[in-house]
Short mmCIF file of all heavy atoms in Angstrom, two decimals:
data_model
loop_
_atom_site.label_atom_id
_atom_site.label_comp_id
_atom_site.label_asym_id
_atom_site.label_seq_id
_atom_site.Cartn_x
_atom_site.Cartn_y
_atom_site.Cartn_z
N THR A 63 -0.35 38.47 234.31
CA THR A 63 -0.91 38.25 232.93
C THR A 63 -0.03 37.23 232.26
O THR A 63 1.21 37.43 232.16
CB THR A 63 -0.84 39.56 232.13
OG1 THR A 63 -1.50 40.59 232.89
CG2 THR A 63 -1.48 39.39 230.79
N GLU A 64 -0.63 36.14 231.80
CA GLU A 64 0.13 35.15 231.04
C GLU A 64 -0.81 34.25 230.27
O GLU A 64 -1.96 34.09 230.65
CB GLU A 64 1.03 34.32 231.94
CG GLU A 64 0.29 33.46 232.93
CD GLU A 64 1.25 32.61 233.82
OE1 GLU A 64 2.26 32.12 233.29
OE2 GLU A 64 0.97 32.48 235.04
N LEU A 65 -0.30 33.70 229.13
CA LEU A 65 -1.06 32.72 228.40
C LEU A 65 -0.42 31.36 228.69
O LEU A 65 0.84 31.23 228.52
CB LEU A 65 -0.98 33.03 226.89
CG LEU A 65 -2.15 33.87 226.34
CD1 LEU A 65 -2.26 35.20 227.04
CD2 LEU A 65 -2.07 34.09 224.83
N ILE A 66 -1.25 30.41 229.10
CA ILE A 66 -0.73 29.06 229.42
C ILE A 66 -1.32 28.02 228.47
O ILE A 66 -2.53 27.94 228.29
CB ILE A 66 -1.15 28.73 230.88
CG1 ILE A 66 -0.47 29.71 231.83
CG2 ILE A 66 -0.78 27.26 231.22
CD1 ILE A 66 -0.88 29.52 233.28
N ASP A 67 -0.42 27.30 227.86
CA ASP A 67 -0.84 26.31 226.84
C ASP A 67 -1.50 25.11 227.54
O ASP A 67 -0.85 24.45 228.35
CB ASP A 67 0.44 25.83 226.10
CG ASP A 67 0.12 24.97 224.90
OD1 ASP A 67 -0.99 24.40 224.82
OD2 ASP A 67 1.01 24.83 224.04
N ILE A 68 -2.75 24.86 227.27
CA ILE A 68 -3.47 23.75 227.86
C ILE A 68 -3.81 22.69 226.82
O ILE A 68 -4.70 21.85 227.07
CB ILE A 68 -4.71 24.20 228.66
CG1 ILE A 68 -5.67 24.92 227.69
CG2 ILE A 68 -4.37 25.08 229.82
CD1 ILE A 68 -7.06 25.18 228.35
N THR A 69 -3.18 22.75 225.69
CA THR A 69 -3.53 21.78 224.60
C THR A 69 -3.35 20.33 225.07
O THR A 69 -4.26 19.49 224.81
CB THR A 69 -2.59 22.04 223.39
OG1 THR A 69 -2.55 23.37 223.10
CG2 THR A 69 -3.07 21.25 222.20
N ASP A 70 -2.28 20.02 225.73
CA ASP A 70 -2.06 18.61 226.16
C ASP A 70 -3.16 18.13 227.14
O ASP A 70 -3.60 16.99 227.06
CB ASP A 70 -0.68 18.44 226.79
CG ASP A 70 0.44 18.48 225.74
OD1 ASP A 70 0.12 18.36 224.53
OD2 ASP A 70 1.60 18.61 226.12
N GLN A 71 -3.57 19.02 228.05
CA GLN A 71 -4.61 18.61 229.02
C GLN A 71 -5.91 18.34 228.30
O GLN A 71 -6.64 17.41 228.62
CB GLN A 71 -4.80 19.70 230.06
CG GLN A 71 -3.66 19.79 231.07
CD GLN A 71 -2.71 20.93 230.74
OE1 GLN A 71 -2.27 21.07 229.58
NE2 GLN A 71 -2.36 21.71 231.72
N VAL A 72 -6.26 19.19 227.30
CA VAL A 72 -7.49 18.94 226.54
C VAL A 72 -7.36 17.69 225.73
O VAL A 72 -8.30 16.92 225.66
CB VAL A 72 -7.83 20.19 225.64
CG1 VAL A 72 -9.07 19.92 224.76
CG2 VAL A 72 -8.03 21.46 226.48
N ARG A 73 -6.24 17.47 225.11
CA ARG A 73 -5.99 16.27 224.34
C ARG A 73 -6.17 15.01 225.21
O ARG A 73 -6.79 14.02 224.78
CB ARG A 73 -4.61 16.33 223.72
CG ARG A 73 -4.27 15.26 222.77
CD ARG A 73 -2.96 15.56 222.06
NE ARG A 73 -3.07 16.51 220.97
CZ ARG A 73 -2.23 17.50 220.71
NH1 ARG A 73 -1.22 17.74 221.50
NH2 ARG A 73 -2.47 18.31 219.67
N ASN A 74 -5.65 15.04 226.45
CA ASN A 74 -5.75 13.89 227.34
C ASN A 74 -7.22 13.59 227.64
O ASN A 74 -7.66 12.42 227.65
CB ASN A 74 -5.04 14.21 228.66
CG ASN A 74 -3.59 13.94 228.59
OD1 ASN A 74 -3.12 13.30 227.64
ND2 ASN A 74 -2.83 14.48 229.56
N ILE A 75 -8.01 14.62 227.87
CA ILE A 75 -9.45 14.41 228.15
C ILE A 75 -10.14 13.77 226.96
O ILE A 75 -10.91 12.82 227.16
CB ILE A 75 -10.10 15.80 228.48
CG1 ILE A 75 -9.61 16.24 229.85
CG2 ILE A 75 -11.63 15.67 228.45
CD1 ILE A 75 -10.02 17.69 230.24
N ILE A 76 -9.80 14.20 225.78
CA ILE A 76 -10.39 13.61 224.58
C ILE A 76 -9.97 12.19 224.40
O ILE A 76 -10.81 11.30 224.14
CB ILE A 76 -9.96 14.46 223.31
CG1 ILE A 76 -10.68 15.83 223.37
CG2 ILE A 76 -10.34 13.72 222.04
CD1 ILE A 76 -10.13 16.84 222.37
N GLN A 77 -8.72 11.88 224.63
CA GLN A 77 -8.25 10.48 224.47
C GLN A 77 -8.91 9.55 225.47
O GLN A 77 -9.35 8.45 225.12
CB GLN A 77 -6.71 10.45 224.55
CG GLN A 77 -6.07 11.06 223.28
CD GLN A 77 -4.56 11.20 223.39
OE1 GLN A 77 -3.98 10.96 224.46
NE2 GLN A 77 -3.92 11.58 222.27
N LYS A 78 -9.01 10.01 226.70
CA LYS A 78 -9.68 9.21 227.73
C LYS A 78 -11.17 8.98 227.41
O LYS A 78 -11.74 7.96 227.77
CB LYS A 78 -9.56 9.86 229.09
CG LYS A 78 -8.16 9.60 229.71
CD LYS A 78 -8.06 10.16 231.12
CE LYS A 78 -6.61 10.11 231.60
NZ LYS A 78 -6.39 11.07 232.68
N SER A 79 -11.79 9.93 226.72
CA SER A 79 -13.24 9.78 226.41
C SER A 79 -13.49 8.71 225.38
O SER A 79 -14.64 8.26 225.28
CB SER A 79 -13.75 11.13 225.88
OG SER A 79 -13.43 11.28 224.51
N LYS A 80 -12.47 8.39 224.59
CA LYS A 80 -12.57 7.42 223.49
C LYS A 80 -13.54 7.89 222.37
O LYS A 80 -13.87 7.10 221.45
CB LYS A 80 -13.10 6.02 224.00
CG LYS A 80 -12.39 5.51 225.26
CD LYS A 80 -11.15 4.78 224.88
CE LYS A 80 -10.65 4.00 226.09
NZ LYS A 80 -9.20 3.70 225.98
N ILE A 81 -14.04 9.14 222.46
CA ILE A 81 -14.97 9.61 221.45
C ILE A 81 -14.17 9.94 220.17
O ILE A 81 -13.14 10.68 220.20
CB ILE A 81 -15.80 10.81 221.97
CG1 ILE A 81 -16.77 10.30 222.99
CG2 ILE A 81 -16.45 11.60 220.89
CD1 ILE A 81 -17.34 11.33 223.88
N ARG A 82 -14.62 9.40 219.07
CA ARG A 82 -13.84 9.53 217.83
C ARG A 82 -14.13 10.88 217.10
O ARG A 82 -13.24 11.51 216.60
CB ARG A 82 -14.10 8.37 216.87
CG ARG A 82 -13.60 7.03 217.42
CD ARG A 82 -13.18 6.04 216.37
NE ARG A 82 -11.98 6.53 215.65
CZ ARG A 82 -10.75 6.45 216.13
NH1 ARG A 82 -10.46 6.00 217.30
NH2 ARG A 82 -9.75 6.91 215.38
N ASN A 83 -15.41 11.25 217.00
CA ASN A 83 -15.75 12.43 216.27
C ASN A 83 -16.79 13.25 217.05
O ASN A 83 -17.73 12.74 217.59
CB ASN A 83 -16.37 12.06 214.90
CG ASN A 83 -15.35 11.24 214.09
OD1 ASN A 83 -14.27 11.64 213.75
ND2 ASN A 83 -15.76 9.98 213.81
N GLY A 84 -16.54 14.56 217.06
CA GLY A 84 -17.50 15.42 217.80
C GLY A 84 -16.96 16.82 217.94
O GLY A 84 -16.10 17.27 217.13
N SER A 85 -17.45 17.51 218.96
CA SER A 85 -17.02 18.85 219.25
C SER A 85 -16.56 18.87 220.69
O SER A 85 -16.97 18.05 221.53
CB SER A 85 -18.21 19.81 219.11
OG SER A 85 -18.77 19.69 217.85
N VAL A 86 -15.67 19.80 221.00
CA VAL A 86 -15.25 20.01 222.40
C VAL A 86 -15.35 21.49 222.69
O VAL A 86 -14.89 22.33 221.97
CB VAL A 86 -13.77 19.44 222.60
CG1 VAL A 86 -12.77 20.06 221.66
CG2 VAL A 86 -13.36 19.65 224.07
N ILE A 87 -16.08 21.70 223.78
CA ILE A 87 -16.29 23.08 224.26
C ILE A 87 -15.37 23.37 225.46
O ILE A 87 -15.35 22.54 226.40
CB ILE A 87 -17.76 23.33 224.67
CG1 ILE A 87 -18.67 22.91 223.55
CG2 ILE A 87 -17.97 24.78 225.10
CD1 ILE A 87 -20.16 22.79 224.02
N ILE A 88 -14.66 24.42 225.39
CA ILE A 88 -13.67 24.79 226.42
C ILE A 88 -14.22 26.08 227.08
O ILE A 88 -14.44 27.01 226.36
CB ILE A 88 -12.25 24.96 225.88
CG1 ILE A 88 -11.83 23.64 225.20
CG2 ILE A 88 -11.29 25.33 226.96
CD1 ILE A 88 -11.11 23.86 223.92
N TYR A 89 -14.38 26.08 228.39
CA TYR A 89 -15.13 27.14 229.04
C TYR A 89 -14.44 27.50 230.38
O TYR A 89 -14.15 26.62 231.20
CB TYR A 89 -16.58 26.65 229.26
CG TYR A 89 -17.41 27.38 230.28
CD1 TYR A 89 -17.45 28.79 230.27
CD2 TYR A 89 -18.13 26.71 231.22
CE1 TYR A 89 -18.28 29.45 231.18
CE2 TYR A 89 -18.96 27.38 232.14
CZ TYR A 89 -19.00 28.77 232.14
OH TYR A 89 -19.79 29.41 233.10
N VAL A 90 -14.23 28.78 230.55
CA VAL A 90 -13.52 29.26 231.77
C VAL A 90 -14.56 29.88 232.71
O VAL A 90 -15.26 30.82 232.34
CB VAL A 90 -12.51 30.32 231.32
CG1 VAL A 90 -12.02 31.12 232.53
CG2 VAL A 90 -11.31 29.72 230.62
N PRO A 91 -14.65 29.30 233.91
CA PRO A 91 -15.68 29.86 234.86
C PRO A 91 -15.14 31.01 235.68
O PRO A 91 -15.41 31.08 236.90
CB PRO A 91 -15.98 28.62 235.74
CG PRO A 91 -14.66 27.91 235.81
CD PRO A 91 -13.99 28.13 234.47
N HIS A 92 -14.39 31.91 235.06
CA HIS A 92 -13.84 33.09 235.74
C HIS A 92 -14.11 34.32 234.98
O HIS A 92 -14.32 34.27 233.72
CB HIS A 92 -12.31 32.88 235.91
CG HIS A 92 -11.91 31.61 236.53
ND1 HIS A 92 -12.08 31.40 237.88
CD2 HIS A 92 -11.33 30.45 236.03
CE1 HIS A 92 -11.64 30.15 238.18
NE2 HIS A 92 -11.16 29.62 237.09
N THR A 93 -14.12 35.48 235.61
CA THR A 93 -14.43 36.70 234.92
C THR A 93 -13.21 37.56 234.67
O THR A 93 -13.32 38.64 234.12
CB THR A 93 -15.44 37.54 235.77
OG1 THR A 93 -14.85 37.80 237.06
CG2 THR A 93 -16.72 36.79 235.94
N THR A 94 -12.01 37.07 235.01
CA THR A 94 -10.76 37.77 234.69
C THR A 94 -9.78 36.84 234.02
O THR A 94 -8.58 36.93 234.19
CB THR A 94 -10.13 38.36 235.97
OG1 THR A 94 -9.96 37.31 236.94
CG2 THR A 94 -11.00 39.48 236.56
N ALA A 95 -10.35 35.87 233.26
CA ALA A 95 -9.52 34.97 232.47
C ALA A 95 -10.30 34.67 231.21
O ALA A 95 -11.47 34.96 231.08
CB ALA A 95 -9.26 33.69 233.27
N ALA A 96 -9.62 34.00 230.23
CA ALA A 96 -10.28 33.75 228.92
C ALA A 96 -9.61 32.54 228.28
O ALA A 96 -8.67 31.99 228.80
CB ALA A 96 -10.18 34.99 228.07
N ILE A 97 -10.17 32.18 227.10
CA ILE A 97 -9.63 31.10 226.31
C ILE A 97 -9.37 31.66 224.90
O ILE A 97 -10.20 32.34 224.30
CB ILE A 97 -10.63 29.94 226.20
CG1 ILE A 97 -10.81 29.23 227.55
CG2 ILE A 97 -10.27 28.94 225.12
CD1 ILE A 97 -9.61 28.42 227.99
N THR A 98 -8.22 31.30 224.36
CA THR A 98 -7.94 31.64 222.94
C THR A 98 -7.30 30.40 222.27
O THR A 98 -6.60 29.59 222.95
CB THR A 98 -7.15 32.88 222.76
OG1 THR A 98 -7.13 33.25 221.36
CG2 THR A 98 -5.70 32.73 223.17
N ILE A 99 -7.50 30.28 220.98
CA ILE A 99 -6.79 29.33 220.09
C ILE A 99 -5.77 30.16 219.34
O ILE A 99 -6.20 31.07 218.59
CB ILE A 99 -7.74 28.62 219.13
CG1 ILE A 99 -9.07 28.20 219.82
CG2 ILE A 99 -7.05 27.43 218.45
CD1 ILE A 99 -9.02 27.05 220.68
N ASN A 100 -4.50 29.84 219.51
CA ASN A 100 -3.53 30.64 218.74
C ASN A 100 -2.27 29.85 218.58
O ASN A 100 -2.18 28.68 218.96
CB ASN A 100 -3.29 31.99 219.42
CG ASN A 100 -3.13 33.16 218.41
OD1 ASN A 100 -2.21 33.12 217.59
ND2 ASN A 100 -4.04 34.11 218.43
N GLU A 101 -1.20 30.48 218.03
CA GLU A 101 0.00 29.79 217.76
C GLU A 101 0.70 29.42 219.07
O GLU A 101 0.99 30.28 219.90
CB GLU A 101 0.98 30.61 216.88
CG GLU A 101 2.30 29.90 216.67
CD GLU A 101 3.26 30.62 215.78
OE1 GLU A 101 2.86 31.38 214.88
OE2 GLU A 101 4.46 30.46 216.03
N ASN A 102 1.05 28.15 219.20
CA ASN A 102 1.81 27.73 220.46
C ASN A 102 3.22 27.22 220.12
O ASN A 102 3.84 26.57 220.94
CB ASN A 102 1.03 26.70 221.25
CG ASN A 102 0.88 25.38 220.48
OD1 ASN A 102 1.21 25.26 219.31
ND2 ASN A 102 0.39 24.37 221.18
N TYR A 103 3.66 27.54 218.88
CA TYR A 103 5.00 27.04 218.46
C TYR A 103 6.08 28.04 218.94
O TYR A 103 7.08 27.60 219.46
CB TYR A 103 5.02 26.91 216.95
CG TYR A 103 6.26 26.35 216.39
CD1 TYR A 103 6.58 25.02 216.47
CD2 TYR A 103 7.22 27.23 215.82
CE1 TYR A 103 7.79 24.49 215.97
CE2 TYR A 103 8.41 26.75 215.33
CZ TYR A 103 8.68 25.38 215.38
OH TYR A 103 9.85 24.91 214.87
N ASP A 104 5.79 29.31 218.76
CA ASP A 104 6.75 30.37 219.13
C ASP A 104 6.15 31.16 220.31
O ASP A 104 5.13 31.84 220.16
CB ASP A 104 7.00 31.25 217.92
CG ASP A 104 7.97 32.37 218.21
OD1 ASP A 104 8.39 32.56 219.37
OD2 ASP A 104 8.35 33.12 217.26
N GLN A 105 6.83 31.10 221.44
CA GLN A 105 6.31 31.77 222.69
C GLN A 105 6.10 33.25 222.47
O GLN A 105 5.29 33.89 223.17
CB GLN A 105 7.30 31.49 223.81
CG GLN A 105 7.06 32.26 225.08
CD GLN A 105 5.76 31.86 225.82
OE1 GLN A 105 5.37 30.74 225.72
NE2 GLN A 105 5.14 32.81 226.47
N SER A 106 6.81 33.83 221.49
CA SER A 106 6.73 35.27 221.34
C SER A 106 5.30 35.75 220.90
O SER A 106 4.92 36.85 221.13
CB SER A 106 7.73 35.77 220.31
OG SER A 106 7.44 35.23 219.01
N VAL A 107 4.52 34.81 220.29
CA VAL A 107 3.14 35.16 219.89
C VAL A 107 2.32 35.44 221.14
O VAL A 107 1.62 36.47 221.25
CB VAL A 107 2.51 34.07 219.04
CG1 VAL A 107 1.01 34.33 218.87
CG2 VAL A 107 3.22 33.97 217.69
N ALA A 108 2.42 34.55 222.10
CA ALA A 108 1.68 34.73 223.41
C ALA A 108 2.15 36.03 224.07
O ALA A 108 1.35 36.79 224.66
CB ALA A 108 1.85 33.51 224.27
N ASP A 109 3.45 36.27 224.04
CA ASP A 109 3.99 37.46 224.70
C ASP A 109 3.49 38.75 224.04
O ASP A 109 3.14 39.71 224.70
CB ASP A 109 5.55 37.44 224.66
CG ASP A 109 6.13 36.35 225.53
OD1 ASP A 109 5.41 35.84 226.42
OD2 ASP A 109 7.29 35.97 225.33
N ASP A 110 3.41 38.74 222.67
CA ASP A 110 2.90 39.90 221.98
C ASP A 110 1.45 40.16 222.36
O ASP A 110 1.03 41.31 222.52
CB ASP A 110 3.06 39.72 220.45
CG ASP A 110 4.47 39.97 219.98
OD1 ASP A 110 5.16 40.84 220.56
OD2 ASP A 110 4.89 39.32 218.99
N ILE A 111 0.64 39.08 222.42
CA ILE A 111 -0.79 39.28 222.77
C ILE A 111 -0.91 39.88 224.13
O ILE A 111 -1.63 40.88 224.32
CB ILE A 111 -1.50 37.89 222.69
CG1 ILE A 111 -1.58 37.39 221.25
CG2 ILE A 111 -2.94 38.01 223.30
CD1 ILE A 111 -2.11 36.00 221.07
N THR A 112 -0.20 39.38 225.15
CA THR A 112 -0.32 39.97 226.48
C THR A 112 0.27 41.37 226.51
O THR A 112 -0.35 42.27 227.14
CB THR A 112 0.37 39.10 227.55
OG1 THR A 112 1.69 38.80 227.13
CG2 THR A 112 -0.42 37.79 227.71
N ASN A 113 1.37 41.61 225.83
CA ASN A 113 1.98 42.95 225.83
C ASN A 113 1.01 44.00 225.22
O ASN A 113 0.83 45.11 225.75
CB ASN A 113 3.26 42.98 225.07
CG ASN A 113 4.38 42.30 225.83
OD1 ASN A 113 4.28 42.01 227.01
ND2 ASN A 113 5.44 41.91 225.10
N VAL A 114 0.41 43.66 224.09
CA VAL A 114 -0.48 44.60 223.42
C VAL A 114 -1.69 44.85 224.27
O VAL A 114 -2.19 45.98 224.41
CB VAL A 114 -0.89 44.05 221.99
CG1 VAL A 114 -2.05 44.79 221.48
CG2 VAL A 114 0.34 44.21 221.08
N LEU A 115 -2.29 43.77 224.88
CA LEU A 115 -3.46 43.99 225.75
C LEU A 115 -3.10 44.83 226.95
O LEU A 115 -3.86 45.70 227.33
CB LEU A 115 -4.00 42.60 226.18
CG LEU A 115 -4.70 41.77 225.12
CD1 LEU A 115 -5.07 40.39 225.68
CD2 LEU A 115 -5.89 42.49 224.58
N ASN A 116 -1.91 44.64 227.51
CA ASN A 116 -1.49 45.48 228.67
C ASN A 116 -1.29 46.95 228.27
O ASN A 116 -1.51 47.82 229.11
CB ASN A 116 -0.20 44.93 229.28
CG ASN A 116 -0.46 43.65 230.11
OD1 ASN A 116 -1.56 43.39 230.53
ND2 ASN A 116 0.58 42.82 230.28
N ARG A 117 -0.87 47.16 227.02
CA ARG A 117 -0.67 48.53 226.59
C ARG A 117 -2.01 49.20 226.31
O ARG A 117 -2.24 50.35 226.72
CB ARG A 117 0.16 48.52 225.29
CG ARG A 117 0.40 49.88 224.64
CD ARG A 117 1.38 49.86 223.50
NE ARG A 117 0.98 48.95 222.44
CZ ARG A 117 0.13 49.25 221.42
NH1 ARG A 117 -0.42 50.48 221.38
NH2 ARG A 117 -0.16 48.40 220.50
#
Side-chain angles (χ1 to χ4, degrees):
Chain A
T63 306
E64 63 179 323
L65 266 59
I66 296 176
D67 188 343
I68 59 169
T69 311
D70 285 346
Q71 290 99 312
V72 174
R73 186 171 280 137
N74 279 344
I75 289 171
I76 291 169
Q77 288 173 352
K78 282 183 188 159
S79 80
K80 313 276 193 200
I81 286 163
R82 294 210 67 77
N83 301 299
S85 306
V86 56
I87 307 167
I88 301 139
Y89 163 48
V90 165
H92 305 289
T93 57
T94 54
I97 292 289
T98 189
I99 318 284
N100 219 299
E101 177 179 330
N102 67 350
Y103 182 79
D104 180 353
Q105 171 67 30
S106 66
V107 170
D109 293 342
D110 281 328
I111 292 171
T112 52
N113 289 342
V114 164
L115 290 175
N116 285 337
R117 177 172 59 84

